[in-house]
Amino acid sequence: MKSPEENPLLKEVLHDERLAALRETSLNQGFDTIRRARRNRRVARVGTLALAPVLLLVVLTWRRPAQETASHAPTPGTQQRTVAATPSNNSVKIISDEELFALFPGRSLALIGRPGNQQLVELDRVGRRWPGRPSGVEN
Amino acid sequence: MFKARHSQRASVSGTAPAGVGELTRRLAGHDEEAFRTFHALYFDRLYHFLLVVTRGQEDEAREALQETLLRVARHARVFDDEDAFWCWLKVVARNAARDGGRKQRRYLTLLGRLALRWSTVEEPASEPAESNWQAMLTETLDELSPDERRLVEGKYLDGAATRELSSSTGLTERAVESRLLRLRRQLRERLLKKLNER
């Protein structure tokens, strides 16, 4: 017998009023600790749930500018083209059909398709490069 | 007769409480009822263990017990085996006792530095193993006079009522009660002294 908890004599000998008081106090303190731990756990869980969408949003917002920066980063081969394209990206000028034809002087051109979805076709090239398919620029 | 009866009790107290897996699972899940059950099952056992650890220093043992119970409430783990659970509890209890001892030693060190610069605070000797309470009790009972021993055995082993003891000893009931109280105190002091000497 290593511990005397089931021996009435040892229990009587070793236990007193102070221990009885401690028994009650420690039980109540344990309950308080358990309640606090449970509350903390609940707060942590709710906090995590509430923070998850916010974190997701933050991550997505940070990644998008990073991707855009990466796609705009100049590479040696495309540098000139990017520079040339920049003005047209910033301001779009709407021109009439006549103005469009005027941009290609001396060429046989036609606008094919419904208004708003027309294609500019260079008639000279159609037969020469892609016999079955016209090459064009969307208007 | 006394020794034989106590060795019978020994096998009973060694029985592990059933459902320790369920109990510890609920404890780890911060279940109040589980803590109540744990407290009822282990309060005495831990106190007796801590009395051994603190070498019979009751105040230290109580302080450590309180801390142990709080640590269990906070950091309970799941155990499927009662022996493993008890081993873990002993580690928690021992650490709580050591931490309490450290605080006391720090205070003593401070006092020592302030007042007795030449003295050093002694580190406690190695901790005694879990004691055999039964052997100590038997030893302590052997130190009593035959009359005193008969009275104690009659009350706590034969379960005799005070009235019966009064008629068998020729003392008044009040005198029996008071003698038993004195004997319990005497046994307690001797037991704690034995623990301290181990």
Side-chain angles (χ1 to χ4, degrees):
Chain A
M1 176 169 161
K2 284 187 175 177
S3 55
E5 49 278 358
E6 288 189 21
N7 185 319
L9 176 55
L10 270 171
K11 230 175 164 176
E12 282 278 336
V13 166
L14 295 174
H15 295 204
D16 57 11
E17 305 80 37
R18 282 165 69 200
L19 195 69
L22 177 65
R23 194 184 294 271
E24 206 178 315
T25 314
S26 64
L27 185 65
N28 290 328
Q29 281 180 338
F31 285 157
D32 287 345
T33 307
I34 280 176
R35 281 182 211 127
R36 210 174 304 126
R38 242 183 0 223
R39 201 182 317 128
N40 289 348
R41 203 172 50 180
R42 208 179 307 132
V43 167
R45 201 182 300 151
V46 170
T48 310
L49 282 174
L51 272 178
V54 177
L55 281 173
L56 192 71
L57 202 70
V58 168
V59 168
L60 287 175
T61 330
W62 274 4
R63 285 184 78 181
R64 193 170 293 166
Q67 278 173 352
E68 279 173 12
T69 314
S71 67
H72 287 303
T75 53
T78 58
Q79 196 170 8
Q80 204 173 357
R81 198 175 155 189
T82 310
V83 173
T86 305
S88 64
N89 282 348
N90 290 342
S91 58
V92 177
K93 189 182 174 187
I94 297 170
I95 53 173
S96 65
D97 296 352
E98 287 73 26
E99 285 171 325
L100 176 65
F101 289 142
L103 290 172
F104 306 96
R107 293 189 191 176
S108 306
L109 303 167
L111 279 169
I112 300 170
R114 288 180 191 168
N117 194 23
Q118 290 172 310
Q119 277 194 316
L120 178 68
V121 177
E122 194 178 348
L123 297 172
D124 296 344
R125 280 187 169 187
V126 173
R128 201 173 33 176
R129 296 179 75 176
W130 293 286
R133 188 176 157 202
S135 73
V137 183
E138 284 209 355
N139 188 12
Chain B
M1 186 179 78
F2 181 80
K3 282 177 191 174
R5 277 189 214 162
H6 269 294
S7 58
Q8 266 184 334
R9 286 173 188 279
S11 60
V12 175
S13 82
T15 315
V20 76
E22 174 66 15
L23 176 69
T24 50
R25 234 180 301 282
R26 283 168 54 209
L27 262 180
H30 301 301
D31 180 349
E32 283 180 42
E33 277 312 304
F35 183 74
R36 190 190 294 280
T37 311
F38 160 76
H39 192 274
L41 282 172
Y42 288 95
F43 182 92
D44 290 341
R45 199 174 172 187
L46 280 168
Y47 178 58
H48 301 145
F49 173 72
L50 282 164
L51 271 179
V52 178
V53 170
T54 57
R55 294 170 181 271
Q57 302 299 311
E58 289 174 283
D59 288 339
E60 274 183 50
R62 286 189 183 125
E63 203 179 303
L65 175 63
Q66 195 168 10
E67 183 58 31
T68 304
L69 294 167
L70 288 180
R71 288 182 188 186
V72 171
R74 263 184 234 128
H75 312 291
R77 285 168 48 188
V78 180
F79 291 91
D80 289 321
D81 176 36
E82 208 275 336
D83 285 341
F85 182 47
W86 176 240
C87 281
W88 180 73
L89 284 176
K90 283 197 291 185
V91 171
V92 175
R94 214 178 277 130
N95 287 341
R98 274 190 198 148
D99 292 348
R102 257 184 231 132
K103 270 185 212 164
Q104 217 166 40
R105 280 201 299 282
R106 271 204 295 270
Y107 178 66
L108 286 173
T109 310
L110 185 69
L111 282 182
R113 278 181 189 158
L114 287 172
L116 308 161
R117 284 180 178 273
W118 59 88
S119 74
T120 53
V121 180
E122 280 182 23
E123 283 292 312
S126 63
E127 184 182 288
E130 216 174 335
S131 256
N132 189 340
W133 284 96
Q134 187 48 56
M136 280 201 303
L137 181 64
T138 310
E139 215 175 286
T140 315
L141 280 167
D142 284 341
E143 293 166 9
L144 296 177
S145 72
D147 283 349
E148 289 172 333
R149 192 173 163 167
R150 211 171 299 127
L151 193 65
V152 171
E153 283 184 4
K155 173 78 179 171
Y156 294 103
L157 295 176
D158 301 332
T162 313
R163 192 179 295 168
E164 291 169 316
L165 292 171
S166 165
S167 60
S168 68
T169 54
L171 295 166
T172 62
E173 287 184 32
R174 203 177 179 129
V176 168
E177 287 290 354
S178 120
R179 190 170 285 193
L180 280 171
L181 180 68
R182 185 174 54 79
L183 286 171
R184 281 200 304 267
R185 280 186 189 150
Q186 207 174 315
L187 285 171
R188 176 202 186 91
E189 276 165 26
R190 288 184 186 181
L191 270 175
L192 297 177
K193 196 176 167 204
K194 279 183 201 299
L195 275 176
N196 196 28
E197 286 166 356
R198 282 167 87 93

